[in-house]
Amino acid sequence: MDPLTQGVLGATLPQASVSGRYAASAGLLGFLSGLAADLDVLIRSSTDPLLFLEYHRQFTHSLMFVPFGGLICAAVLHFVIGRRRGLSFRQTWLFCTLGYATHALLDACTTYGTMLFWPFSDARIAWNTISIIDPLFTIPILIGVLLSARRLTPLFARLALVWALGYMALGLWQRNEAVSMGYILASQRGHTPTRLEAKPSFGNILVWKTVYETDDRFYVDAVRASLAPRVFYGTSVQKLDIQRDIPWLRQDSQQARDIERFRWFSNDYLARSPEFGNRIIDIRYSMLPNEVAPLWSIQLDPHAKDNEHVIYQVHRDRGTEKTAQLWKMLSAP
């Protein structure tokens, strides 16, 4: 989730749990602790471009790590903030831990995947109920946090939590409606999907990207669920078959191992790029929900040495144009 949302949701839980006089201090400590788990983005390598994919949303986002994450935040923030505001270390630790605890659960509501149960499992949990940026979710929570801090009352933070839970419940309902529409669409094409998922499009929970898999292809469409239901037909792409698509790849090479790492990260939603033969794409994400136009990919090199890594690429071109097209989907009659 975007940093602002992580911070303000981190502020609400400690604010909602204390008496009014601590509302500002609890909110500030919760806000900063709600951001802390994403410091794992600093785990990178100049020689291994996929290392950050393995560690982002890993141990720092585990439910088992929450008490330790809260303690680390408290160890830093108590001397900077807590002690100066008349808090005991125990109070600082409580506020920091409550703020830290919201981070992973919020991330798990998005589509990226969060290792909530590390070290017992490396499964990437994704409940697909909210986009990584959604102003309609964030702004009311921000207002509640600011009002609670200003008026020294937990009331507005509690209302913000009610809004957050209600919005997530609405997103869950919308997701289930989108999944049902996806199955109907597949049935109309004579397909029986081996798996099907619906993911919110950028910045909203009205238009959803549906992706379903058959024996040899992925089918990508967009649907507007519940409110004036509508299907925005998309396209399909062949599933990645290494022997067919990359026959030159040595199976004992680093590039082959990197493909398997990327496969784990993407939950095996991999295809060869229709435009670039040596590019492997993660089809789960695109600016327009009915397109196979990935936000990231890996590039292979037929001439690379056996110990050389793939190249990780991010694709965010034509953002303004695609945002306008997404708005048309949202507002179409």
Side-chain angles (χ1 to χ4, degrees), residues 209 218 220 235-240 245-246 259 262-263 265-286 291-300 311-313 315:
K209 178 172 186 170
F218 293 114
V220 175
T235 186
S236 68
V237 64
Q238 281 190 313
K239 294 162 57 176
L240 178 67
D245 298 333
I246 321 171
I259 291 174
F262 198 54
R263 189 190 303 276
F265 165 74
S266 69
N267 198 22
D268 202 16
Y269 280 100
L270 293 185
R272 186 177 69 166
S273 169
E275 293 84 17
F276 306 96
N278 292 326
R279 179 178 295 176
I280 296 175
I281 61 176
D282 178 350
I283 69 162
R284 296 175 299 166
Y285 304 100
S286 55
E291 284 189 345
V292 177
L295 295 183
W296 45 71
S297 66
I298 55 174
Q299 183 73 31
L300 281 70
I311 299 172
Y312 177 78
Q313 300 175 314
H315 314 284

Side-chain angles (χ1 to χ4, degrees), residues 57 107-114 124-132 197-200 208 284-285:
R57 297 200 185 184
D107 272 348
C109 292
T110 67
T111 64
Y112 188 88
T114 304
R124 302 182 66 87
I125 308 302
W127 294 319
N128 300 338
T129 56
I130 193 171
S131 172
I132 58 170
E197 293 186 5
K199 305 174 185 297
W208 294 71
R284 296 175 299 166
Y285 304 100

Side-chain angles (χ1 to χ4, degrees), residues 11 36 38 47 96 141-142 165 172 184 199 230 247-248 252 262 279 283 289 296:
D38 275 345
T47 58
C96 289
I141 301 173
L142 173 62
L165 292 172
L172 178 62
I184 293 172
K199 305 174 185 297
R230 180 168 173 174
W248 50 264
D252 59 348
F262 198 54
R279 179 178 295 176
I283 69 162
W296 45 71

